[in-house]
Amino acid sequence: MAPKLGVIGFGNIAKAIITPLLEQNVLQPEEIICLVNSKKSFENIKINYKYKINIYHLNSSESNLVWHCPIKLLAVKPQQLKNIKEINFNETNKYFLISILAGVSLKTLETIFPKHNCIRAVTNIPITIGQGLTGIAWNNDIDDKNKIFIKNIFENSGKVFELSEDYLDIFLALTSSAPAIIALIIEALGDGGLSGGLTKKLSEELVIDMIFGTVLMMKDLDVSPSELKNMVTSPAGTTIAALRILEKKGFRSALIESIMGAMNKSKEFK
Ligand SMILES: NC(=O)c1ccc[n+]([C@@H]2O[C@H](COP(=O)([O-])OP(=O)(O)OC[C@H]3O[C@@H](n4cnc5c(N)ncnc54)[C@H](OP(=O)(O)O)[C@@H]3O)[C@@H](O)[C@H]2O)c1
């Protein structure tokens, strides 16, 4: 079977993207060639990864094989990008290279990989449990058949949105950075429970289940956030007492600014 997908950097996020493709038989292990940096990671994957993919490390004689694949997933850390040297064995057509690196623009990718048709995908950590949100930006040189295949890579572990590259920074802020904001809110609400006398463990369990139930209700019953807020806020009651404090402390504005901060930081990376 000819190799179809090359993975440059088979770390946490690449594994989260590739494993569902293997589980659902979208690709067979022998169709995937993965490259890691160290012999240690190579041995670890060779022994512990449940699928027998072709895996190589940078110092092995076969490390160039990854570049034979018509589609590549680039999944190294942004600071490791400078160590990647492009090879394209196809003299007539450009191969495809999908980068999931935070903040690295299509223009930069096309400068580093001139022999490849580059695609940018921004994904988020829930992709590790099949609940990812992925924003994809591509240029006009990609035909529909390849677009479908590339989208399918991410659709197996969540939802995919095709966006103009201009919107990838705000997409990243809202989907990729915001899980940390939610985690911080959960932790802080848990500390609220702790202040009121509950254990930390019980407080956090209650907060997580409360958020889960609230979000599910919004989705299942198609209730908007403002409608839900009004449902639970009665005149002179406990909830409006809590909301008053948040408004006074600038909570809503802090959240808006946090998203703008993440977006602006992402723009700086280019
Ligand atoms: N974490 C997130 O929430 C998130 C979400 C979306 C996107 N991303 C993006 O995903 C990318 C990967 O993140 P990660 O958390 O999966 O990182 P990671 O677990 O550290 O994986 C990086 C992988 O790249 C390999 N590598 C390093 N240098 C290499 C080289 N020169 N050639 C080939 N392989 C090389 C590493 O091999 P060794 O193990 O041998 O060093 C490792 O397998 C990042 O660019 C990040 O911006 C992350």
Side-chain angles (χ1 to χ4, degrees):
M1 218 170 247
K4 214 166 180 181
L5 182 67
V7 182
I8 303 163
F10 195 59
N12 295 321
I13 300 292
K15 271 192 208 111
I17 295 168
I18 299 303
T19 308
L21 297 176
L22 294 165
E23 277 167 358
Q24 291 157 40
N25 280 316
V26 176
L27 287 173
Q28 299 308 310
E30 55 274 27
E31 289 180 298
I32 301 180
I33 298 185
C34 296
L35 184 63
V36 290
N37 185 42
S38 61
K39 203 167 173 206
K40 190 171 163 220
S41 289
F42 158 80
E43 278 162 3
N44 184 20
I45 294 161
K46 196 100 189 147
I47 295 165
N48 296 317
Y49 191 56
K50 64 176 172 172
Y51 294 99
K52 296 289 154 221
I53 49 170
N54 302 290
I55 174 96
Y56 305 106
H57 61 87
L58 213 53
N59 290 328
S60 74
S61 55
E62 295 109 324
S63 67
N64 278 349
L65 286 178
V66 74
W67 293 97
H68 285 275
C69 300
I71 297 180
K72 281 128 198 145
L73 179 72
L74 180 66
V76 298
K77 296 268 191 210
Q79 60 271 29
Q80 296 162 334
L81 181 59
K82 59 181 184 308
N83 302 326
I84 313 290
K85 301 277 171 282
E86 177 190 51
I87 305 169
N88 188 347
F89 295 99
N90 187 337
E91 297 296 325
T92 45
N93 291 315
K94 279 189 174 183
Y95 281 157
F96 298 100
L97 184 138
I98 311 159
S99 161
I100 61 159
L101 276 63
V104 180
S105 70
L106 277 176
K107 199 165 166 232
T108 303
L109 291 167
E110 277 161 8
T111 309
I112 303 173
F113 304 104
K115 295 173 179 169
H116 284 79
N117 205 329
C118 296
I119 296 120
R120 229 184 117 187
V122 170
T123 191
N124 68 351
I125 196 78
I127 200 166
T128 48
I129 55 152
Q131 295 290 322
L133 294 173
T134 303
I136 298 186
W138 25 46
N139 59 38
N140 293 328
D141 296 343
I142 304 176
D143 61 33
D144 284 348
K145 189 172 150 253
N146 281 304
K147 274 190 180 178
I148 290 168
F149 181 79
I150 290 164
K151 270 171 68 183
N152 198 24
I153 292 176
F154 297 95
E155 276 166 349
N156 274 279
S157 32
K159 281 191 193 170
V160 172
F161 300 82
E162 289 175 75
L163 296 168
S164 139
E165 192 182 14
D166 296 343
Y167 294 115
L168 282 191
D169 298 303
I170 184 64
F171 185 91
L172 178 144
L174 211 50
T175 63
S176 202
S177 299
I181 299 173
I182 297 299
L184 188 126
I185 290 174
I186 293 172
E187 199 184 49
L189 290 175
D191 281 349
L194 194 67
S195 308
L198 298 178
T199 63
K200 191 168 175 66
K201 190 170 177 293
L202 178 61
S203 295
E204 288 189 352
E205 183 185 334
L206 291 174
V207 173
I208 289 168
D209 286 349
M210 173 276 295
I211 290 182
F212 195 66
T214 309
V215 170
L216 216 59
M217 190 168 158
M218 284 189 211
K219 282 201 112 170
D220 284 3
L221 303 183
D222 200 19
V223 177
S224 75
S226 355
E227 282 169 337
L228 195 129
K229 192 187 91 186
N230 292 340
M231 271 182 210
V232 292
T233 311
S234 42
T238 54
T239 310
I240 192 64
L243 295 178
R244 263 184 67 188
I245 293 170
L246 291 180
E247 293 295 354
K248 206 167 156 189
K249 300 274 181 190
F251 181 70
R252 189 196 295 257
S253 164
L255 287 180
I256 296 170
E257 292 311 315
S258 71
I259 296 299
M260 290 296 102
M263 180 190 79
N264 291 335
K265 191 73 196 171
S266 173
K267 284 185 194 292
E268 271 176 33
F269 281 139
K270 297 176 185 87

